[in-house]
Structures are given as structure tokens and as C-alpha cells.
Amino acid sequence: MPAKKPTAPAAKPPAAKPPATPPVKPSTRRKPVELPAADEVKTRRGKAKRAVAEMGADSGERLPVLKAPAPIEPHLVTELDATIPVVIPLGARSPVDDIVEVLHKEVIGQERAIQAIARALLRSQEGFRTPGRPISTMFFAGPTGVGKTETVRALAKALHKDWRAILKIDCSEYSEPHSVARLIGAPPGYIGSDLPAIFAKDNVEGVKNRLVLFDEIEKAHPRLHNILLQIMDEGRITLSRRTKDDDGIVSFEDCIIVLTSNIGAFEIDQILHANRIGFRNEPPAVSEQTGQQIYEAAKEAMKLMFPPEFRNRITEFIVFRALKRESLYKILQKLLNISAERFASLGFQLTLTDEARDWLVDRGMDQELGVRPLVRAVEKHIDTKVAELHAYGLIKAGDVLVADMVDVDGLVEEHAGHRREIGFLRAPRSEEAEKGKRAKSKPPKTEFIVRY
Ligand SMILES: Nc1ncnc2c1ncn2[C@@H]1O[C@H](COP(=O)(O)OP(=O)(O)OP(=O)(O)O)[C@@H](O)[C@H]1O
Ligand SMILES: [Mg+2]
């Protein structure tokens, strides 16, 4: 069939003459307001909200976010949603950035907790704090062995260049009413009245950002809770002993108070069990959801444990999460770096094969006990063994040790059966290595120096 001839386009109707408008001077004529189409507004609003959800999705609360991980178009933010947090330009630094850097270096896998701490510190540093109260009162909750106390140590390192600069109250030592008296000093005539109060002026005042840690607060006697309530509320306490020259009033206004607790530990354990979270290769989605459940469980447990007037005075409630396996590898590296410093002082180096690292992380995995088993595994299988090898003169300055997996059949008593353990290979001392380099034909041999 022959192709149809294209029909000529219909003749255009003559353009309608625009209605005569009075001539307007170009300078006074206003530009028409261009409103985005309804659909466009919807998508942009959705975009902005999603971006904020990504930024602010924290432990269940809507908190202001200081740094935008994803770029946000500022005009969208101001135009569509006035509740959107501040967008900080890339590269801008705040006074707490140095602190955050130290925290990130020392505390692994607790980014949300660190962000929350940074926000609390920034707020108070900028003067947003209640006068007459401590700088900040933070409550660290979460499973055991995931870095709560370690974070306080890291804070001390960041704020005072010394991880020991903490006034630490181990609350398990204050479970009896009479022991609580040690904090404010025993009244004259009572046992211990000759001892200085732990909260004496010298221990508390005079240093900006003094860190006061109440570790495992749930173990303390209610009397300690009352003292703490007074500190949180009035920012000061009165000691039992006063003199003519000393009113005995101690101010906590320059202090950062941190309370740590395992409240809700039982519920948290159950959640961890139910979700098989912890250190097994859990999919991230499950762990995110479980983190939220842990947060809710800790908050509920806190409600049961502490009265509203106590909870009300906590400026930051931070829940630490169970750590993922990938974090354990980083913590292992951190522990090995500490060991390496000690070995370097004895003059030798230590490296670990990947297989040895996997084996240690497997040993250190325990969802109920947190990271402590890993700390113990490094002590037992690395530090102790290397110390032994050194003590028996099997390694000397200049050696390079390689920790690898070895079969220890035959090395242990007969009935022990087949086992795989970390063994150490000794690379020749440096001068031997030098010799080996020169005589290229025969590379120096490494030798096993396993001794169990
Ligand atoms: N997130 C972490 N980053 C780096 N090291 C960690 C972390 N969590 C635990 N560790 C290591 O494990 C040890 C125990 O951790 P930490 O004392 O902080 O536990 P915790 O959360 O306070 O537990 P608990 O509630 O039982 O007191 C620390 O000394 C540290 O070596
Ligand atoms: Mg602790």
C-alpha cells in the first residue's frame, strides 16, 4: 500500500490579538511569582524529609543534627520545612570537633552515642545550659562491655589529655547507707570522720569540664541517688563537716556528670538472643531494628528504676548498642597496637596473619559479655605467650614475630587431641636478615617457636 501522503497541517487560526494593556514602565513591573507544581512540591518535600530522616534518625529521638552526611539543597530546607535542622557547610569546624575525633579513635562502633555526646557538649559550650546546674548530665545505658566506661575514659583523654582524669564513683561500693557517707564525709564523732570527703572541694572544683562518673548507678543505695539528685538539681552539695572558714558547700557547676548503667540488661539480652544479633554475621537491617528495640527496652527499664524527678534532670540519655563483628576487628587492632607498644619497648615486633585475627575474633565473640572476652583472648593468646617466650629467651631484640594458626597435636599431652592454636614464627634478627639479603641465594628461614 502506498504510503499516505502527509496531510498538510491545518492552517493555524490567526493569533488572537492580545488585549490591550496599559503600558507599564519596565522598572516598576513586578516579576510574576512562579509557584512549583503540586507534584513538584510533593517530591521536594518528600526529598527534604527523607534527607532529614537520614540525618536525624537517632536512637528513637528527633535531635538536631550538626553535620549533614548527605548534601541537602539549602533552599529546599528553608522553603519547605521550617523544622529542619541547621545545615553546616562542608569543612566548617566546631569547638567540639577535636573531642569527637578522639572519641572516634578510642571508641569503636558507637557513632550514634558519640554524635549525641558531641551535641550535648556543643550545646553547653555555646551557653545553652541551665545556670546553677552541672554542665551536662549524661546517662549511658546499654549492654555490658560495649564501651560505656571506655567512652568516659576517652572523654577524659580529649578534655584533659589524661584518660585517668575522672572522679569515678564505683556505685557498687556504695550499696550500704553508711558507705554513702564517705562521699560527703562522716559527721564528727562517727567512724571515718577523720577521712576527707570524696566530694571535697579540691576534688570537684577548680577544673573546667571536670568529669564525674557514677559507674553502674543502679547498684548504689538510694541515699546516693538523693545526693546525686541534689547535684543534678542544684549543682551543689553541702558536706557534713563545716568550719568557720569553710561553708562546706561544693559546687558541681563546672562538672560533666556521667552515669552509666546496665538497666534493662535482662531485656536487652532477650532481644539480642531473639535477633541473634551481636557478633555473628547479622544483616545490617536486623541490627538497626534491634538497636531501636534495645533503646526502647533501656528507656522502659529506666522508667521503672528511677523516679520522674531523677529522669527529668538527665540532659542526655544515650544508649550504647551491641557491637558488630566488623567493629571487633577494629577493637582487636586497637588492643594489638597497645601490645605492640609494649613489645617495641622490648625491641621486637609482632604481626598477625588474617587467620589468627579471625580466630581471636571468634574467641572474643560473645553477645552477652560484649568485648571483654576479646580483651581476655588477646591477653591470654598473645600477651601472655609472648611474655613467656621472651622470659625464656626465645625471642630477642630485633626479632620479628608472626602469629599464625598452628596445629598443636603432639605438643600438648597425648589425651588433649587435635587443637589449633596461635603459634609464633620468629623471623631472624635484623643482622641475620641483613646477611640473608646479601646472600640472595639462600633466604633466611623463619622458625617455629611454639611453646605451650
Ligand atoms: N566500643 C568500644 N571501642 C573500643 N574498645 C571497647 C569498646 N567496647 C569495649 N571496649 C573494650 O572493652 C573493655 C570493656 O569496655 P567498657 O568498660 O567500656 O564496658 P562497659 O560498656 O562500661 O560495660 P559494663 O556495663 O559492664 O561496665 C574496655 O576496656 C575496652 O578495652
Ligand atoms: Mg562500665
Side-chain angles (χ1 to χ4, degrees):
M1 213 171 120
K4 242 188 178 180
K5 249 190 171 182
T7 46
K12 266 190 188 169
K17 221 180 162 191
T21 43
V24 181
K25 277 187 202 164
S27 56
T28 54
R29 191 172 183 150
R30 288 180 67 196
K31 247 183 136 188
V33 180
E34 279 178 28
L35 288 173
D39 282 358
E40 165 76 346
V41 172
K42 255 191 190 167
T43 27
R44 286 160 84 181
R45 181 169 284 153
K47 236 184 182 181
K49 282 201 171 146
R50 266 198 307 280
V52 172
E54 273 167 26
M55 291 162 64
D58 202 332
S59 32
E61 346 158 53
R62 271 304 197 89
L63 294 163
V65 169
L66 298 175
K67 274 189 178 171
I72 292 190
E73 294 169 52
H75 72 274
L76 278 183
V77 173
T78 46
E79 197 180 328
L80 295 172
D81 203 333
T83 60
I84 292 198
V86 189
V87 178
I88 309 282
L90 281 174
R93 284 185 71 80
S94 86
V96 297
D97 281 0
D98 291 342
I99 299 172
V100 173
E101 269 165 31
V102 177
L103 291 183
H104 275 303
K105 212 171 126 222
E106 300 293 330
V107 184
I108 317 287
Q110 299 292 3
E111 275 69 30
R112 280 156 194 259
I114 294 175
Q115 273 180 26
I117 295 167
R119 281 194 294 265
L121 292 179
L122 190 73
R123 250 197 336 262
S124 51
Q125 287 218 354
E126 293 298 301
F128 294 96
R129 50 175 286 206
T130 316
R133 284 196 180 164
I135 294 175
S136 187
T137 304
M138 301 189 235
F139 194 106
F140 292 177
T144 181
V146 295
K148 297 185 295 294
T149 308
E150 189 71 7
T151 304
V152 185
R153 283 195 211 113
L155 260 178
K157 198 170 168 188
L159 292 167
H160 305 295
K161 310 266 176 288
D162 181 359
W163 60 268
R164 285 161 301 189
I166 303 166
L167 177 54
K168 183 178 171 191
I169 311 299
D170 219 327
C171 292
S172 54
E173 291 174 16
Y174 297 89
S175 53
E176 302 293 330
H178 63 268
S179 54
V180 179
R182 278 162 38 209
L183 296 174
I184 53 170
Y190 282 77
I191 297 171
S193 60
D194 50 333
L195 296 173
I198 289 170
F199 286 150
K201 271 182 201 258
D202 290 350
N203 291 345
V204 178
E205 295 179 357
V207 177
K208 185 125 183 76
N209 293 326
R210 162 85 77 207
L211 276 168
V212 185
L213 168 63
F214 291 85
D215 219 7
E216 304 188 89
I217 181 69
E218 74 279 9
K219 295 194 178 148
H221 190 271
R223 270 198 200 175
L224 188 146
H225 293 169
N226 286 340
I227 293 178
L228 185 54
L229 198 60
Q230 209 181 331
I231 293 173
M232 294 195 288
D233 197 24
E234 295 162 27
R236 57 183 53 203
I237 50 161
T238 309
L239 301 179
S240 298
R241 292 190 299 275
R242 274 159 275 179
T243 60
K244 224 170 6 83
D245 314 315
D246 184 358
D247 56 6
I249 295 174
V250 183
S251 166
F252 285 75
E253 279 183 61
D254 280 340
C255 295
I256 296 172
I257 312 285
V258 182
L259 322 176
T260 72
S261 173
N262 288 140
I263 47 156
F266 177 70
E267 292 81 355
I268 290 171
D269 272 359
Q270 284 189 327
I271 295 167
L272 291 172
H273 263 303
N275 292 286
R276 293 181 59 78
I277 191 201
F279 308 122
R280 306 269 165 206
N281 300 319
E282 79 281 5
V286 173
S287 96
E288 187 48 49
Q289 188 198 353
T290 310
Q292 193 58 36
Q293 287 174 342
I294 289 177
Y295 179 85
E296 299 298 339
K299 206 144 200 193
E300 278 310 306
M302 168 116 174
K303 274 189 199 161
L304 294 176
M305 185 106 197
F306 298 105
E309 66 268 28
F310 189 96
R311 300 199 308 268
N312 230 356
R313 282 163 182 81
I314 287 162
T315 44
E316 212 68 40
F317 182 66
I318 297 166
V319 180
F320 284 64
R321 310 288 172 102
L323 290 162
K324 295 179 191 163
R325 190 179 167 98
E326 69 199 52
S327 298
L328 284 205
Y329 280 93
K330 290 188 191 153
I331 294 173
L332 172 65
Q333 187 54 52
K334 201 187 140 204
L335 296 170
L336 291 173
N337 290 346
I338 298 169
S339 303
E341 272 175 38
R342 251 176 268 145
F343 300 152
S345 67
L346 296 172
F348 58 91
Q349 288 174 33
L350 173 76
T351 54
L352 271 83
T353 61
D354 286 348
E355 214 191 330
R357 281 170 197 266
D358 291 343
W359 188 84
L360 278 171
V361 167
D362 286 345
R363 294 279 149 317
M365 275 189 338
D366 193 310
Q367 55 188 40
E368 274 124 78
L369 301 177
V371 186
R372 287 203 178 89
L374 181 67
V375 179
R376 281 197 293 274
V378 172
E379 275 168 11
K380 183 175 166 198
H381 299 285
I382 302 288
D383 294 353
T384 312
K385 281 186 190 170
V386 173
E388 204 186 9
L389 294 172
H390 189 260
Y392 282 101
L394 292 164
I395 37 171
K396 295 186 182 64
D399 284 350
V400 176
L401 279 186
V402 180
D404 198 1
M405 296 315 298
V406 292
D407 260 325
V408 290
D409 267 358
L411 288 166
V412 287
E413 299 113 66
E414 273 165 34
H415 59 269
H418 175 86
R419 259 196 316 143
R420 274 175 69 74
E421 265 273 17
I422 285 192
F424 295 90
L425 284 105
R426 186 181 78 95
R429 300 177 60 186
S430 45
E431 63 260 39
E432 292 166 36
E434 276 307 305
K435 269 187 226 155
K437 249 188 223 165
R438 268 178 251 135
K440 271 187 190 153
S441 54
K442 212 177 167 198
K445 269 191 191 161
T446 52
E447 52 173 312
F448 268 114
I449 43 166
V450 190
R451 188 193 167 94
Y452 299 105

